[in-house]
């Protein structure tokens, strides 16, 4: 499986301070796990407003670990959740998959 994360952005932000990087990555992993559970629940409940909010939150965390190329998924969900339920579910499942892969990689 192709690696989807990069530590380049977090290295820039922390000036290469390994301790700070470790702390930020620990927070990312913890928050990401919680976000995935929330995303699943909001999708199941078809709570589009909350799904949009969590998608907005996810965008910046993806950038932190070099996953800016996947930002479009979160943006699409943020702006269009519930408009086309089938499309929203597909995009959300894809976001969960890549978000989970990022946690495993890190």
């Amino acid at each position: 499986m192709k690696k989807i994360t990069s530590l380049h952005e977090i290295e820039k932000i922390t000036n290469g301070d390994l301790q700070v990087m470790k702390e930020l990555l620990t927070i990312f992993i913890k928050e990401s796990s919680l976000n995935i559970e929330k995303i699943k629940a909001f999708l199941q409940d078809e709570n589009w407003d909350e799904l949009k909010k969590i998608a907005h939150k996810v965008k910046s965390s993806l950038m932190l670990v070099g996953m800016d190329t996947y930002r479009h998924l979160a943006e699409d969900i943020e702006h269009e959740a519930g408009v086309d339920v089938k499309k929203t579910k597909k995009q959300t499942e894809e976001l969960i998959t890549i978000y989970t892969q990022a946690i495993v990689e890190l």
Side-chain angles (χ1 to χ4, degrees), residues 3-49:
K3 186 174 179 181
I4 62 170
T5 59
S6 166
L7 299 181
H8 180 72
E9 189 63 32
I10 201 167
E11 285 175 331
K12 273 189 352 188
I13 293 168
T14 63
N15 290 322
D17 185 320
L18 294 178
Q19 184 61 35
V20 176
M21 286 175 61
K22 183 178 177 181
E23 290 172 19
L24 286 175
L25 289 171
T26 300
I27 291 167
F28 172 84
I29 291 168
K30 181 179 176 183
E31 288 293 314
S32 297
S33 297
L34 293 172
N35 288 340
I36 288 170
E37 293 309 311
K38 289 177 185 178
I39 290 168
K40 288 178 181 178
F42 297 148
L43 182 62
Q44 181 177 346
D45 295 343
E46 296 187 355
N47 187 337
W48 309 128
D49 289 334

Side-chain angles (χ1 to χ4, degrees), residues 49-106:
D49 289 334
E50 290 302 317
L51 185 59
K52 288 177 181 183
K53 289 176 188 176
I54 197 80
H56 176 77
K57 182 179 177 182
V58 165
K59 286 189 305 187
S60 30
S61 65
L62 293 174
M63 290 175 42
L64 180 68
V65 292
M67 296 176 60
D68 196 40
T69 57
Y70 297 99
R71 181 182 173 140
H72 71 279
L73 279 172
E75 286 176 344
D76 287 350
I77 294 166
E78 177 186 12
H79 297 294
E80 300 175 17
V83 173
D84 178 341
V85 175
K86 187 175 180 179
K87 180 180 176 184
T88 299
K89 288 183 178 186
K90 182 180 180 199
Q91 289 176 322
T92 304
E93 289 168 4
E94 187 177 350
L95 181 62
I96 289 168
T97 299
I98 60 111
Y99 216 14
T100 301
Q101 184 179 342
I103 292 169
V104 170
E105 284 183 15
L106 297 169

